[in-house]
Amino acid sequence: MTQDLLTRPAGEPAPPARTGLLLRVLPPGLYAGRARMLVERSLLVNRRMWLVVFTGFFEPLFFLLALGQGLGALVGGVTGPGGESLTYAEFVAPGLLAASAMNGAVYDATFNIFFKLRYAKLYDAVLATPLGPMDVAIGEVTWALLRGGLYSAGFLAIMLGMGLVGSAWALLALPAALLVAFAFAAVGMAATTWLRSWQDFEYVQLVLLPMFLFSTTFYPLSVYPGPLRVAVEAFPLYHAIELMRGLTTGAVHWGVLGHAAYFVVLAVLGVAVAARRLGRLLLR
Amino acid sequence: MIEDTALVRARGLVKRFGDFEAVRGIDVEVRRGEAFGFLGPNGAGKSSTMRMIACVSPRSAGELRVLGEDPDRHGPRIRARLGVVPQQDNLDNELTVRQNLHVYGRYFGLPRARVRAKAEELLEFAQLTDRADDEVEPLSGGMKRRLTIARSLVNDPELLLLDEPTTGLDPQARHLLWDRLFRLKQSGVTLLVTTHYMDEAEQLCDRLVVMDGGRVVAEGSPAELIRSHATREVLELRFAPGGQDAAVPLARELADRVEVLPDRLLLYTGDGEAALAAVQRRGVQPVATLVRRSTLEDVFLHLTGRSLVD
């Protein structure tokens, strides 16, 4: 160790002390505690982010106008999670909020990461530095979540502007959306490590589309007969929608924490699997 | 404290991929300040060896110490002091030339101000200052290679690993690159180079090993290798196709070793001119003749064979 200090050129920072929780738990080859450098890279690459925010602002607006105002005029009222009566726009908005957090995160974590992994060879270059696969997984998932989070913030602002927020609990919808985005990004990135070609992205669509349509986004769970309800309750997006709908309508109960815990578990598993798979693919 | 001068020390190093053994127990020692080469045909195990030394590929068996430490246990700490130029450029195409250097420096945890200053210095070194704010994609092959080398220097590495640094470049670009690598060597950086170009090995390497089929088949300086595996000179006799067969018995008589190629005979001998005179005295009429010094290429082809390895 003394020799190590002697041979390091003057001014070179010492390797970070392994004090953080993750740093103590994980082997040094896996995680150098510098995941933020990948976020820095993404920020540099996406300096024209305002365009993304701009389109991200209009997409939910169009959805809300078409479904909430347009279709909502035909549907009339819906019974909310707390038994209260909601307009259809109030009902569908949190569902779309959850879906947009999911879509934003999953698209970034699948398409973009697949390209960087298989074609740009970005992670090969990164792993030649002191960074490890866990830095890559956390850094890239964090970026996907920031992006998903921006969409969600825009969406919430529109909901507020259209008078679709019924409770101060809605303030928590933004951190909740970040958590949902993190979990979906992590699982998306893990899944991406198994994809072999662009054709395989059909599988991603195959999972996302039914989840978007059937996870009580557009109508309550009571529409389904008993056995189907259980199936729908297994969808991750269902939990995200329950979480959002509870918060924006003010129907908050302990179960909301359960939904949040579901995403914490999903996020941790996703990052762990993604890092492990990256290591297996690139550090052979 | 005794300073260990071996920056890389391998004993019985093995790399397996499933049933395939890419590296079959090699011993290598790279000393501080030298330029060391891995020479060998495609598939000889050079790149696998380089990846193990770069701490991005765990060894299957044997011993390996890089900068005095075990890659299995201290990979990140070793990588912090290495520079790596991979066989295929993996520059960040989403960033500009300068940003490539910035971001890479940040991966090493260098402070922003330090990275900024270092990037300017490296742009100068790689003769890319004019292209600093350009995208990477439209750069020529030579420029990309220089940028990759510049990038590998961002952390002031003690050991620079170059995997086929000039493959695919035109002669001008190769000479420019060699010049830069010489400068690095002069400034005290230890170079570890793989190549299948003999001129590159002769230009760059103080010492080298010849690898074939995952094993080290020879080791030494270029001059030593020529001395011990070839004669001082080579007499080349060129014939019309098929015409050389008649001259083979005579050639074997005159030379230490003879190689029969489809259109040529190579006579390995201490004195090429004398052999040529003898050939002419005996009435053999080749289409063309050439006396030359033995090169590393002769050694290489002798050791690794002439058949195509794929």
Side-chain angles (χ1 to χ4, degrees):
Chain A
M1 195 64 216
T2 330
Q3 189 202 335
D4 183 46
L5 288 173
L6 285 176
T7 49
R8 182 177 297 120
E12 182 110 345
R18 300 182 70 80
T19 47
L21 176 65
L22 271 177
L23 284 169
R24 265 179 292 160
V25 177
L26 296 170
L30 204 58
Y31 185 53
R34 248 182 246 146
R36 68 179 184 285
M37 300 308 176
L38 277 136
V39 180
E40 251 185 66
R41 176 198 171 273
S42 294
L43 280 170
L44 204 55
V45 170
N46 294 280
R47 270 168 315 163
R48 286 180 282 272
M49 265 297 277
W50 60 267
L51 190 67
V52 177
V53 177
F54 198 63
T55 56
F57 183 80
F58 277 104
E59 194 186 281
L61 183 66
F62 293 155
F63 260 113
L64 274 181
L65 286 176
L67 294 171
Q69 310 302 322
L71 191 66
L74 297 176
V75 174
V78 186
T79 308
E84 74 283 26
S85 175
L86 300 174
T87 65
Y88 186 64
E90 282 171 328
F91 176 82
V92 83
L96 292 171
L97 172 62
S100 96
M102 171 182 85
N103 282 330
V106 169
Y107 280 119
D108 199 82
T110 53
F111 279 99
N112 292 349
I113 287 178
F114 183 75
F115 179 77
K116 288 185 265 191
L117 174 66
R118 301 282 176 179
Y119 294 92
K121 304 280 176 198
L122 174 70
Y123 307 132
D124 293 83
V126 171
L127 294 179
T129 74
L131 301 191
M134 187 61 90
D135 296 279
V136 173
I138 295 178
E140 293 292 72
V141 167
T142 303
W143 171 250
L145 117 92
L146 285 177
R147 201 169 157 158
L150 268 174
Y151 282 114
S152 302
F155 202 117
L156 270 170
I158 291 172
M159 283 175 67
L160 199 65
M162 293 173 72
L164 299 175
V165 174
S167 157
W169 284 104
L171 277 178
L172 287 179
L174 185 59
L178 289 178
L179 176 63
V180 168
F182 193 109
F184 275 112
V187 172
M189 182 171 186
T192 300
T193 61
W194 272 285
L195 301 181
R196 291 149 305 170
S197 69
W198 294 108
Q199 279 76 38
D200 285 356
F201 279 87
E202 295 300 320
Y203 294 117
V204 177
Q205 277 305 330
L206 207 62
V207 174
L208 285 192
L209 189 62
M211 200 143 74
F212 174 59
L213 292 174
F214 301 126
S215 299
T216 72
T217 322
F218 302 104
Y219 41 79
L221 190 64
S222 55
V223 168
Y224 292 112
L228 262 181
R229 272 183 216 183
V230 180
V232 170
E233 278 171 345
F235 289 163
L237 185 59
Y238 167 78
H239 294 273
I241 290 172
E242 283 296 294
L243 187 58
M244 297 301 170
R245 202 163 270 153
L247 290 171
T248 58
T249 60
V252 176
H253 50 92
W254 290 108
V256 168
L257 273 182
H259 296 304
Y262 177 96
F263 284 103
V264 171
V265 172
L266 211 57
V268 170
L269 277 179
V271 168
V273 172
R276 198 187 158 78
R277 285 281 304 162
L278 277 183
R280 189 160 293 177
L281 287 176
L282 301 178
L283 302 176
R284 300 194 307 127
Chain B
M1 189 195 299
I2 300 157
E3 174 79 1
D4 186 1
T5 53
L7 290 197
V8 179
R9 188 193 297 273
R11 291 278 173 277
L13 186 60
V14 172
K15 181 73 200 183
R16 281 184 220 104
F17 297 102
D19 291 338
F20 174 66
E21 212 170 31
V23 179
R24 306 175 169 204
I26 61 167
D27 297 345
V28 172
E29 201 170 298
V30 181
R31 301 174 203 133
R32 189 178 290 276
E34 73 178 345
F36 189 92
F38 285 99
L39 202 60
N42 292 333
K46 307 187 298 288
S47 293
S48 299
T49 305
M50 282 296 245
R51 284 177 53 81
M52 286 190 276
I53 295 171
C55 310
V56 292
S57 171
R59 62 181 182 269
S60 309
E63 250 181 75
L64 181 62
R65 290 287 174 282
V66 181
L67 302 172
E69 300 197 89
D70 181 349
D72 282 353
R73 295 181 53 221
H74 300 295
R77 206 155 82 189
I78 302 170
R79 291 201 299 267
R81 298 160 63 195
L82 293 182
V84 177
V85 178
Q87 202 174 104
Q88 252 146 25
D89 290 323
N90 52 13
L91 293 164
D92 198 327
N93 283 331
E94 293 184 274
L95 300 172
T96 65
V97 170
R98 183 184 274 121
Q99 286 171 343
N100 258 279
L101 299 173
H102 280 190
V103 168
Y104 214 68
R106 295 290 289 155
Y107 293 155
F108 282 91
L110 304 177
R112 283 198 184 79
R114 168 96 182 279
V115 163
R116 265 196 295 275
K118 191 75 197 170
E120 295 315 308
E121 181 193 323
L122 290 172
L123 285 169
E124 194 73 33
F125 173 80
Q127 299 186 324
L128 287 168
T129 308
D130 297 346
R131 309 295 298 266
D133 296 312
D134 290 1
E135 299 286 321
V136 168
E137 190 54 46
L139 296 184
S140 72
M143 287 176 174
K144 283 185 186 168
R145 213 62 189 141
R146 272 169 10 234
L147 179 56
T148 307
I149 291 176
R151 188 185 70 174
S152 74
L153 297 172
V154 76
N155 58 327
D156 293 310
E158 292 160 67
L159 176 63
L160 186 59
L161 309 178
L162 301 128
D163 198 355
E164 299 189 9
T166 66
T167 298
L169 300 185
D170 64 34
Q172 286 84 351
R174 297 181 76 203
H175 280 280
L176 179 57
L177 216 58
W178 286 339
D179 169 67
R180 299 292 117 165
L181 294 177
F182 271 129
R183 287 187 199 199
L184 284 176
K185 205 188 140 207
Q186 303 281 254
S187 67
V189 180
T190 307
L191 303 179
L192 197 51
V193 187
T194 77
T195 184
H196 47 230
Y197 292 128
M198 302 309 119
D199 51 349
E200 185 156 277
E202 287 190 274
Q203 284 262 0
L204 284 179
C205 300
D206 302 315
R207 273 189 332 123
L208 51 90
V209 291
V210 180
M211 287 185 76
D212 193 28
R215 291 202 171 80
V216 169
V217 293
E219 181 174 356
S221 69
E224 281 167 8
L225 285 171
I226 292 170
R227 253 201 316 278
S228 51
H229 295 280
T231 53
R232 205 170 73 93
E233 295 189 335
V234 184
L235 169 61
E236 292 196 15
L237 303 177
R238 191 176 290 272
F239 293 91
Q244 77 270 42
D245 291 343
V248 172
L250 170 64
R252 290 206 197 284
E253 211 175 288
L254 292 172
D256 300 358
R257 188 161 61 80
V258 176
E259 264 194 78
V260 184
L261 305 185
D263 63 335
R264 270 177 304 162
L265 295 182
L266 300 187
L267 283 70
Y268 290 88
T269 166
D271 187 342
E273 293 294 345
L276 176 58
V279 165
Q280 284 166 341
R281 264 200 314 277
R282 303 277 285 267
V284 175
Q285 298 282 319
V287 180
T289 65
L290 170 70
V291 175
R292 59 171 176 82
R293 302 289 292 249
S294 285
T295 65
L296 210 47
E297 186 146 346
D298 296 305
V299 176
F300 183 80
L301 292 174
H302 175 50
L303 290 172
T304 63
R306 287 197 182 262
S307 56
L308 191 61
V309 200
D310 266 323

